[in-house]
Amino acid sequence: MTSRRAFLSGGLTVAVAATLAACSQDVPTTPTATGTPSAQPVLDSDRLTAVLERVQTGLDAADKAKDATKLTGYLTGPAARVRSEEYTLASAAGNNSHVHVLATTSQAGAVGLTTDFPRTAMTVTQATADGDVPYLLALSQDTARDSFQLWGWARLYAGVKVPATSTAAVGSEQVDAASTGLVSTPQDVLNAYVDALNNPDGDNGKAFADDPLRQRVAAEKAVDLGGMGQITVQASPGTDGFKGLRTSDGGALVMTTCTFTTEYKNTVARSTIEVGEPISFLLGGDKAVRGTVTAHYDAMVAFSVPAEGSSEKPVVLGGDLVLSKVERDDSKAPTG
Amino acid sequence: MNRRILSAITALVGLVVIALAVCSATVWRPSSTAQATLAQTPDQHYVVTEPGVLGLVDSAVTITATASDDAPVVLVVGHSSDVKAWLQSDPYVSVTGLSDWDALTSEDVTTSCPSDSATGSASAATTPSAVAAPSPTASTDAQGCTVLTATGADPTTSDMWIATKSGTSKVSLQMDATDPDLVVLAATDGSGNAPTLSLSWPRHVSTPWLVPGLVLGGLLLLVGVFRLLVDLQTRREDERRRAAAAERAARIASADLTSTAGIPAVGDPDRPLTRRERRDKERAEKAGGEWIDPRTGRVYLGGVESPAVPQAPVSAQVESITEEEAQAAVGAAMGSSVVPGLDEAATAAHRETRELEDGSPLSIVEPSDEEAQAQDVDETADEATESLAEVETTALSETREDEQADQPETSDEDEQADAEETVEQAKATEATDDEENK
């Protein structure tokens, strides 16, 4: 009897204690962070759209005022510089057609996959309503406290095919000047292209297909000054660096800059050479070339660089060109 | 008794266990929402959760930031690397986990130290120079860590945030924290102290004691109730038996006056009466009834001994008398005198015995009243005795039909029928008596 009652009361106690113990579940502890965090897509498609909309808003406001200072926070790098030059030219010419109409409505976007800065995103815009071609835009976030800004754009040439990239949700490896795993590094591609511009008949000139930029350079060279002058066209790689993303097939989509200058030199004393528009706009209306007049062009170029081992060659996807400045040097005027 | 108490206790314990089990799954069940809040108001401009804190309890987390007054409040969700990158050199409050179910643990991050190995080499390298130059820079503390200074930047507009929600006073944000790398940063506008952060999760609350408790309690209850029922039945059976015994006793008691009279137990005449016998005696005396002393077999009526009625055993009477003797003692069977067939001589002899002796004239002597009555009584008694004897004789003669062959057939048959009838009547009387006795 006693043992039984003890047993029962003991069981009851255990039941109560266990019930109460069930109330006090252990508080979960924070798992320790596992090393370096894995790389994340730097943007998702929604945020990419938001970024593009913000850029568009800022761009529109700056375009309206043609005020380069209003580009701050929206455009950076060569894009900001080129846009600023366009404003200058447009202001000098009194013609807004020198300002490219940029529509940032994206039809396909790719973002970098990294935790570091700067971060890159690229997108192909939809063709504007008035039949303009699509642009390839490169966006960059330089530091954590910066927002994504438009770094560069390239008008896609007719007939080119932009290689496929991973979606924004997946992210793509960022590519820089020295990235490997490609048929050649982006820097080498740029150098080769500049060589093609300078020596269209060389190996590199044959490697690249003809494109509007090459045609422009060729046209500059082909200007006949009637023996009274001399034209020198010299292209050189840009110094803005590269923004690029790895494509799905291991190649790269790269945007960079190059420049070329056209020097008009008067070689015959007392001869008169006049430069045409739009160079003249930046000469304050004085078209005469007494010594030398050097026109500087700023170009943004987009390449598709195949993956290493591919039989294909780098392709110029697009580019854009602006007359950045014109220098006059009358001291080099021919004498005699 | 003890068994009943134990059964009741068992059943009660079963009920209690069931109640506890139910309570454990209802009123004592921990809240299905765990809400943890920062212990104190942050004194830095930003509050940031450590990776993994948001998904500590459940992936569905609701983050609430509450500012003291109508200050702007912003909650942003981002990858830990992004948030850390954004914070750069700003001090912040780091939410590190839960101290209990409703409190978050936190620590202020006010310095940025290089990784441990770098710190070691850096301190080794910088300590001598620090001694040489007591104040290297204001932004480095004794351990060589960079003291973080607030910049007051507003995190709202950064592109890096996966989700942003801003408002005033109080902002709440629901998110899926399946990715442990996601963290949340809460701020006002970056220029003032951060709002108080509160995280709440739906909490998976198990009820591990419900089913075992119900089973155990149910078993205990069943056992207790079963035992109680068994006990009840036993008691009822007991009561019934007791009632039956009492009833029997009562019946016996009421039946004693008649039934016990038939079975007098004659034993030691000097033994004291048993209690029951005494009771019977008292009852009989009170009722004025007959009581038979079981020791002696004497019959008392109203407490007075009644003389025994000498009663010759019938069997002895019958056995001792032969047919001839019976014939001689009783004479011819009654009624045989009127049976035709007696010769005149016999009739005459018979009549002769009845003839007056002295031939004196018939005189009428008036007898005294007493004599007459006595004579009547005697005659009646005689007649009764005669009829009894007749019956018995007739009964006896039944078996001896052949021996009475000299008597006419018809009368013999009549006689026999009469006798049979009488016997039957006697038997019926006996049966009635028996029944009455019973």
Side-chain angles (χ1 to χ4, degrees), chain B residues 53-261:
Chain B
V53 170
L54 290 180
L56 211 49
V57 179
D58 193 272
S59 62
V61 60
T62 303
I63 307 135
T64 308
T66 314
S68 52
D69 43 14
D70 285 347
V73 178
V74 64
L75 273 174
V76 303
V77 179
H79 288 286
S80 59
S81 55
D82 292 349
V83 173
K84 292 286 158 60
W86 188 88
L87 282 169
Q88 283 182 339
S89 57
D90 271 56
Y92 61 95
V93 174
S94 174
V95 178
T96 52
L98 287 172
S99 61
D100 57 55
W101 282 108
D102 49 14
L104 293 168
T105 53
S106 64
E107 60 185 33
D108 286 9
V109 178
T110 54
T111 57
S112 168
C113 298
S115 59
D116 287 344
S117 58
T119 310
S121 61
S123 59
T126 53
T127 306
S129 64
V131 172
S135 60
T137 49
S139 62
T140 310
D141 67 2
Q143 282 82 43
C145 297
T146 309
V147 175
L148 302 173
T149 50
T151 57
D154 188 350
T156 313
T157 55
S158 175
D159 292 324
M160 295 188 294
W161 313 142
I162 291 162
T164 307
K165 197 163 185 185
S166 53
T168 51
S169 288
K170 186 172 182 177
V171 167
S172 205
L173 176 70
Q174 276 189 313
M175 63 167 286
D176 177 11
T178 309
D179 183 354
D181 190 44
L182 291 182
V183 300
V184 78
L185 181 149
T188 50
D189 56 359
S191 59
N193 279 349
T196 300
L197 195 70
S198 165
L199 304 177
S200 76
W201 300 271
R203 184 175 164 195
H204 173 70
V205 182
S206 60
T207 53
W209 300 103
L210 178 62
V211 172
L214 287 183
V215 169
L216 179 68
L219 281 179
L220 284 174
L221 187 65
L222 276 180
V223 168
V225 165
F226 177 74
R227 289 173 54 120
L228 266 182
L229 283 179
V230 165
D231 187 61
L232 201 70
Q233 200 169 3
T234 316
R235 269 205 300 162
R236 195 173 294 164
E237 184 71 22
D238 214 27
E239 260 172 28
R240 199 186 59 75
R241 211 180 307 134
R242 219 170 282 179
E247 193 189 344
R248 195 168 57 235
R251 204 168 57 224
I252 288 170
S254 64
D256 264 356
L257 285 177
T258 47
S259 72
T260 51

Side-chain angles (χ1 to χ4, degrees), chain B residues 259-270:
Chain B
S259 72
T260 51
I263 42 163
V266 182
D268 179 10
D270 294 328

Side-chain angles (χ1 to χ4, degrees), chain B residues 393-412:
Chain B
T393 315
T394 318
L396 284 172
S397 65
E398 194 180 353
T399 53
R400 300 185 187 109
E401 281 177 11
D402 48 345
E403 288 171 2
Q404 292 172 345
D406 53 336
Q407 289 178 354
E409 282 262 306
T410 50
S411 69
D412 195 69

Side-chain angles (χ1 to χ4, degrees), chain B residues 204-353:
Chain B
H204 173 70
V205 182
S206 60
T207 53
W209 300 103
L210 178 62
V211 172
L214 287 183
V215 169
L216 179 68
L219 281 179
L220 284 174
L221 187 65
L222 276 180
V223 168
V225 165
F226 177 74
R227 289 173 54 120
L228 266 182
L229 283 179
V230 165
D231 187 61
L232 201 70
Q233 200 169 3
T234 316
R235 269 205 300 162
R236 195 173 294 164
E237 184 71 22
D238 214 27
E239 260 172 28
R240 199 186 59 75
R241 211 180 307 134
R242 219 170 282 179
E247 193 189 344
R248 195 168 57 235
R251 204 168 57 224
I252 288 170
S254 64
D256 264 356
L257 285 177
T258 47
S259 72
T260 51
I263 42 163
V266 182
D268 179 10
D270 294 328
R271 71 175 169 83
L273 288 170
T274 63
R275 217 182 300 168
R276 185 169 170 182
E277 286 163 349
R278 250 191 332 256
R279 234 177 12 243
D280 291 346
K281 184 187 175 189
E282 281 164 12
R283 194 156 47 221
E285 281 172 359
K286 213 174 283 176
E290 180 190 54
W291 181 65
I292 299 169
D293 190 335
R295 295 166 298 186
T296 58
R298 284 172 211 268
V299 178
Y300 296 83
L301 258 177
V304 181
E305 184 178 1
S306 58
V309 179
Q311 220 168 8
V314 173
S315 54
Q317 215 173 22
V318 172
E319 274 169 17
S320 60
I321 294 177
T322 63
E323 199 182 347
E324 289 79 16
E325 282 168 350
Q327 186 92 21
V330 182
M334 288 296 282
S336 58
S337 56
V338 295
V339 171
L342 282 178
D343 54 354
E344 268 188 46
T347 312
H350 183 66
R351 283 180 179 166
E352 208 168 359
T353 59

Side-chain angles (χ1 to χ4, degrees), chain A residues 265-266 271 273 286 288-293 328-330 332-334:
Chain A
K265 189 177 184 182
N266 191 338
S271 66
I273 300 172
D286 183 1
V289 179
R290 288 175 280 274
T292 59
V293 168
R328 171 192 292 277
D329 189 353
D330 288 347
K332 291 182 179 174

Side-chain angles (χ1 to χ4, degrees), chain A residues 1 4 12 16 18-19 22-23 25-30 40 47 51 54 115 117 119 141 144-145 147-148, chain B residues 6 16 20 24 28 56 79 81-82 85-87 90 96-98 100-101 151 153 159-161 203 209 227:
Chain A
M1 180 64 191
R4 235 173 138 174
L12 186 63
V16 172
T19 310
C23 301
Q25 257 177 27
D26 288 339
V27 173
T29 53
T30 312
Q40 302 287 341
R47 284 188 284 153
V51 165
R54 193 190 65 238
T115 57
F117 295 90
R119 297 175 172 183
Q141 183 184 24
R145 293 228 173 154
S147 295
F148 268 95
Chain B
L6 198 65
V16 167
L20 286 176
S24 81
W28 292 335
L56 211 49
H79 288 286
S81 55
D82 292 349
W86 188 88
L87 282 169
D90 271 56
T96 52
L98 287 172
D100 57 55
W101 282 108
T151 57
D159 292 324
M160 295 188 294
W161 313 142
R203 184 175 164 195
W209 300 103
R227 289 173 54 120

